[in-house]
Amino acid sequence: MAIEKLRPEETIREYNFLGAEAAPSREMRIGACNIFGGTCGALKGRGCSKNADRAYNQAQGCQLGLALGILNAIENVVIIIHAPLGCGAGFLGSSGVFRMIRTMKNASLFENIWISTNLTQTEVIGGGLAKLESAVLYAEREFRPEAIVVANSCVPALIGDDIDTLLNNLSRQTSAVLIPVHCEGFKSKLVASGYDAAYHGLLKKLVDPPAEYPRVLPDDIKDAKEKYRIAKTVNIINVSSASVQDENELTRLLKALDLNVNVLPQHASIEEISRISEAAVNLSMCPTHDDYLTGHLKERFGTDYTIETIPVGLKNTARILRHVGGLLGLEEAVERLIESEEAAFYAAVEPYRDAINGLRLFVGGGETRVLATAEQFQALGAHIIAMKPHHFDIFAEPLLADITPDTIIDVAPGQPSEEMNLLARHRPDLYIGHLGAMVWPLKLGIPTMPLFGNTINYMGYTGAFEMIRRAVRILKNPGFAKKVYANVGQPLRKSWYEKDPFYYIREEGDRA
Amino acid sequence: MDAFIERPKFTCALGGAIAAINALPRSVSIVHASGGCGSSLSGVYNSAAGYFGSGYCSGNMESTSNIAEKEIIFGGEDKLLDEIRTSIEIIDADLYFVLSGCQVEMIGEDTVGTAKRFQGGDVRVLAANTPGFAGNSYHGYDTVMAEIAKSLVKRKDKKRTNVVNILGIVPGQDVFYKGNLREIKRILFALGLKANTFFGENETVEDIENSGDAALNLVFSEFYGVKAAKTFEEVHGIPYIQTDLPIGDTATERFIRLVAGALHINQNKVRRLIASEKKYYYSYVERMLDIYADIDLQRYLIAVLDSSYAYPIMQFLSDDVGWIAHLAIVNDIEDGAQQLRYAEKFKTLESSSRPAVVFEPHTGQVRKHITDSWPRNRNDRYYDALGPSFVIGSSLEGSTAASLNAGFLPIAFPLTSRLVLNKGYTGYHGALALLEDIFSVLVAGR
């Protein structure tokens, strides 16, 4: 089968942003926007307007958190958050989860170390570099890490702290590689810019072309073997929203094609990351995460990559496998693999079909995952009532074609009020959503299922099966949601539920 | 200059303010800052305060003006005006509290002035400057409570001798704040007093408004809640006394006598109350005597806690349970004079053991302080080890406790390895809950 057309990587011609201190914002780079209310049909081809605005805004994520989510999972790294105390406090809630994941991976356990430079009024006036310097030297002395990541936040950006120059100078005193990461919250309304910020730092400081040492005695056979190994190696670029089981499933599929697999950068060592170019293909688990990394690696090392979708659901898993097959000349083997995997999957989901058929679903979260998850359920006969991706960009556009055009789509970073309005109107059987978002549908009495989880399998064929099995299991007893609805309040006024869900969205110029 | 902190066990002023407002009855914050501050900070308490949750209207339901680069350059006042107006329009709350973050404070926005335009109508709107760089989360709590005392609580000339207010128990930073308040309120009620706790069960914003007739404010901390108590004193003429979180027999009796003395409560009533509470408390302690004695449940105690808990926990386990108070590592006091004052308190322990008291903001140094507190085994055949020992701290101390082979109960923020609902550790009932939790750890393997 021919590889499908319309690949985003053909749209983006150039990366080459590493000369700059910081990555450009996604608004600029990939036409991302996060304000739209309407149907998939209306969004398709047109995209949402970057000049639109909301008269009522609710909390979103911060790109600092997303950037650090990638970098703190690298082995033997200390994170310094150059900020007042609150930025990076997210680690307080997540360090236990991190330990759980390492345990599941059978990886060595180590403590996540982070340091806040604790910027106060004094530094707001006088600058914060002195504190940053002492924090870097403390981290070097106390923890002897291989790398120290310095995440720059809003306050030092507004003070004008030049962290890059400071870190360049300090790097002569440290054995750790010092990595500046510019992930100031106010600089992008799209939290996913944080992934670019993280990879910008990683690409600049940790990814070097592997050193080549000429052999004393030439050995053509060894050289050829090495070349062959690399030509048959795929890097799976892992993300914090995926699980160990997801990595294992994708590894299983690639190994079935006789390929070697590396999983990185999360829970990988600095050494492993520095050799990221020793692969024929970089397989992205999610375009929202990785295009900045895979695009740059292509430019620097010529490594091919797949970026079009997320391997969630059969259709999107097959898309990625076919792309890998196309790049490595394994088309036939891939078709055989897909055929046998799909046959096994369909046999396995047979008992669940009745429960899924006609199920009314609402799916919210990251754009690619939302569209791919919706597609899988729709393919088994579920009815997608509405979707709420956090943002919309060129990567989502092709996937939109998989969803019935009259499906409602609310492009919003958070904004649970709009979601609640839609949910109350349409009352789906199940809400599948992002962490932090599910408590609100639950308060409306709607059973919920996590869209992702770092201890749950969602990807590949086993992931698709787990997803279906999970949904059916959750719906076996929606009793808790009913009790919650009857007894726990929610904060939005009755009058809000009578208004249009997109009442507060305004195009440039008009006032709601 | 406050130094950097490795793994600080608190968030910033904005975080403390958000957690406090989330804990107030039917109250919502409107955060004038970048989009990520509100949900990130409330998310920390959601997950790291024993799964405190998004509450009535926090988490990603939090109203936020969503300041970005454009507003940094052109100003964000219009966005804030829109945000307050629409928040009132859409959210059903008894109190709207506008909070400023770092970005808007640095560009000189007048958040409080903008919010004032909404005051005087039929909804209650308060505002405070709470940029992260102003201080830690305890500071945020203080700022919110002082503003409430100043602008929300109604002036009342006539005080009621049987009404007290409770301050200094910081929601979120004290994971057990609600259960703690309930027990304190119960004991005060038994003394014939009505207590406004602001955050407690079944309390309302009206109760807060009417708290200006209290005869006395009780501050359960050496440091926190004092700013609000002082505001109550200046604005409402209500005096305050400071005391420790009362945990267990000795401390709670001391607390009851302190309050009774300050409010001239009949001594017979006090004696009767203490006698009946003690009888109740020891009737349950009796149940654990067999196992305590049979397998020797005395431990060396290492407390890695903030100033609200370090002394009370150590005092309870040392004076009432017979443990050996070995080492207290306190993370939240920076000021040298305050450190000296706090360390003094441990000299009042009834038991003969005197703990070492260390002030250490860096989480990673905890293990070193513990190893430094005891002579090392230099391959001696007979070695008096620091054991059996028990660590009470936050979830971050789990690996340290494991490496010491010590028993471990996390009770302090960040508390991610336990889910906390209505439990509290104060008073007589709370002390029993604490005994259950501690000794359950020690029999868990059986």
Side-chain angles (χ1 to χ4, degrees), chain A residues 53-62 84-87 89-97 99 111-124 130-131 134-135 138 141-143 154-156 158-159 185-189 388 413-417 420 435-437 439-440 443 489-493 495-496 499 503-504 506 511-512, chain B residues 1-12 28 34-41 44 46-48 51 54-69 71-72 78-79 82-83 85-93 96 102-103 106-107 123 132-137 334 362 364-365 367-368 395-396 399-400 413-414 416:
Chain A
D53 192 9
R54 280 186 168 92
Y56 177 61
N57 285 287
Q58 291 175 298
Q60 333 180 344
C62 174
L85 288 164
C87 308
F91 285 134
L92 288 169
S94 65
S95 53
V97 178
R99 209 169 40 241
E111 292 207 35
N112 258 161
I113 307 290
W114 71 93
I115 297 175
S116 168
T117 54
N118 184 15
L119 298 180
T120 63
Q121 196 83 48
T122 319
E123 290 79 45
V124 168
K131 261 186 174 175
S134 55
Y138 179 84
R141 191 173 69 238
E142 286 290 319
F143 304 104
C154 296
V155 168
L158 292 170
I159 301 171
F186 73 86
K187 291 230 171 125
S188 177
K189 290 193 177 187
K388 200 206 67 171
Q415 218 61 21
S417 56
M420 293 286 269
L435 60 91
V439 62
W440 307 110
K443 286 184 171 183
Q490 57 79 38
L492 301 172
R493 289 186 198 275
S495 56
W496 165 244
K499 283 188 180 136
Y503 176 80
Y504 288 114
R506 56 196 181 194
R511 312 281 287 175
Chain B
M1 188 177 75
D2 313 335
F4 64 85
I5 305 179
E6 184 249 320
R7 284 182 285 169
K9 291 172 181 165
F10 31 70
T11 69
C12 61
V28 302
S34 285
C37 300
S39 61
S40 303
L41 290 165
V44 175
N46 174 0
S47 53
Y51 303 92
S54 297
Y56 181 60
C57 189
S58 197
N60 61 359
M61 197 59 95
E62 196 93 35
S63 299
T64 303
S65 62
N66 200 2
I67 292 304
E69 202 133 41
E71 289 77 29
I72 297 288
D78 286 349
K79 284 211 88 164
D82 266 347
E83 189 65 26
R85 177 179 61 78
T86 53
S87 295
I88 294 169
E89 207 168 86
I90 193 168
I91 290 168
D92 181 18
Y96 300 84
C102 296
Q103 304 88 359
M106 290 186 70
I107 59 167
V123 292
F133 60 74
N136 63 18
S137 33
E334 288 170 47
H362 302 310
Q365 298 293 340
R367 198 177 306 210
K368 269 187 213 164
S395 290
L396 293 179
S399 55
T400 302
F413 181 87
T416 50

Side-chain angles (χ1 to χ4, degrees), chain B residues 77-78 81 84 111-121 125:
Chain B
E77 199 185 293
D78 286 349
L81 282 171
I84 301 175
T111 307
V112 175
T114 306
K116 274 213 170 98
R117 297 203 221 166
F118 293 87
Q119 287 170 351
V125 179

Side-chain angles (χ1 to χ4, degrees), chain A residues 40-326:
Chain A
C40 290
L43 181 62
K44 186 150 177 50
R46 179 185 94 116
C48 42
S49 159
K50 276 185 271 306
N51 297 320
D53 192 9
R54 280 186 168 92
Y56 177 61
N57 285 287
Q58 291 175 298
Q60 333 180 344
C62 174
Q63 59 158 326
L64 182 134
L66 273 67
L68 297 186
I70 294 179
L71 296 169
N72 88 314
I74 298 172
E75 290 178 355
N76 206 5
V77 162
V78 169
I79 307 273
I80 297 178
I81 301 130
H82 189 37
L85 288 164
C87 308
F91 285 134
L92 288 169
S94 65
S95 53
V97 178
F98 179 84
R99 209 169 40 241
M100 272 166 52
I101 295 168
R102 302 276 310 172
T103 308
M104 288 175 76
K105 281 183 90 90
N106 269 333
S108 61
L109 290 187
F110 57 88
E111 292 207 35
N112 258 161
I113 307 290
W114 71 93
I115 297 175
S116 168
T117 54
N118 184 15
L119 298 180
T120 63
Q121 196 83 48
T122 319
E123 290 79 45
V124 168
I125 297 161
L129 291 176
K131 261 186 174 175
L132 177 57
E133 179 172 343
S134 55
V136 169
L137 296 176
Y138 179 84
E140 166 81 9
R141 191 173 69 238
E142 286 290 319
F143 304 104
R144 294 275 159 197
E146 285 176 80
I148 299 172
V149 170
V150 175
N152 207 39
S153 72
C154 296
V155 168
L158 292 170
I159 301 171
D161 277 358
D162 180 2
I163 67 161
D164 290 72
T165 305
L166 175 78
L167 296 181
N168 266 334
N169 294 339
L170 279 179
S171 64
R172 290 180 209 123
Q173 298 174 50
T174 61
S175 68
V177 182
L178 306 182
I179 309 173
V181 173
H182 291 269
C183 48
E184 305 86 356
F186 73 86
K187 291 230 171 125
S188 177
K189 290 193 177 187
L190 295 147
V191 289
S193 294
Y195 301 129
D196 302 349
Y199 285 139
H200 188 84
L202 183 140
L203 282 159
K204 277 180 90 159
K205 300 289 180 182
L206 295 183
V207 175
D208 288 317
E212 282 183 27
Y213 303 99
R215 292 183 196 281
V216 180
L217 300 172
D219 188 339
D220 291 348
I221 294 177
K222 264 194 180 165
D223 289 348
K225 271 188 179 165
E226 182 61 12
K227 256 192 185 157
Y228 180 79
R229 186 186 64 81
I230 292 173
K232 288 281 180 192
T233 297
V234 175
N235 288 330
I236 295 176
I237 311 295
N238 57 353
V239 298
S240 42
S241 54
S243 63
V244 180
Q245 296 95 316
D246 288 337
E247 295 171 10
N248 292 347
E249 166 67 354
L250 296 181
T251 304
R252 178 184 73 86
L253 293 169
L254 294 172
K255 289 208 163 153
L257 298 169
D258 272 339
L259 296 169
N260 309 308
V261 179
N262 299 320
V263 181
L264 72 183
Q266 299 198 25
H267 304 285
S269 66
I270 302 265
E271 154 74 15
E272 285 163 330
I273 292 169
S274 74
R275 309 185 83 86
I276 196 169
S277 63
E278 293 180 0
V281 175
N282 287 316
L283 187 154
S284 162
M285 279 183 161
C286 176
T288 302
H289 278 253
D290 301 328
D291 86 287
Y292 196 83
L293 177 68
T294 52
H296 274 101
L297 291 173
K298 170 80 179 168
E299 278 182 5
R300 275 175 77 184
F301 306 110
T303 321
D304 286 317
Y305 60 98
T306 72
I307 194 74
E308 65 270 42
T309 185
I310 189 168
V312 166
L314 265 56
K315 189 168 189 174
N316 285 293
T317 300
R319 274 179 175 143
I320 291 178
L321 289 175
R322 289 198 171 104
H323 194 177
V324 172

